[in-house]
Amino acid sequence: VAKQVSLSSLTTVKFNGIDITKAESEAYGVWRANCWQVGYQILAEVEAGTRPMPTIEEVLAEMPELVLS
């Protein structure tokens, strides 16, 4: 059984042998939330009839960039 961990509460984790800092974990969390926001906006526009159903490539092109500092 997998244990669920909040990314924002991590100080350092091992992911496939790679150290991930708390700042990186938080950046992933923000990016993921922004992706969901964009996805729901696209869905709302399609359902409202204000845009056609996009292709996967078009959806991916609209997703925010992951910024790691």
Side-chain angles (χ1 to χ4, degrees):
V1 175
K3 181 179 178 183
Q4 223 174 24
V5 178
S6 170
L7 289 178
S8 63
S9 68
L10 298 175
T11 53
T12 301
V13 296
K14 290 276 190 181
F15 182 74
N16 291 334
I18 301 169
D19 286 328
I20 297 177
T21 66
K22 182 177 180 184
E24 289 170 329
S25 297
E26 290 172 351
Y28 284 120
V30 168
W31 172 76
R32 181 182 61 206
N34 291 339
C35 287
W36 277 104
Q37 184 176 20
V38 170
Y40 279 118
Q41 180 63 41
I42 292 169
L43 176 62
E45 292 170 2
V46 170
E47 289 180 337
T50 59
R51 72 177 288 173
M53 177 69 77
T55 65
I56 292 173
E57 291 79 13
E58 291 168 334
V59 170
L60 291 176
E62 292 185 45
M63 289 296 135
E65 181 179 344
L66 173 60
V67 177
L68 298 174
S69 51

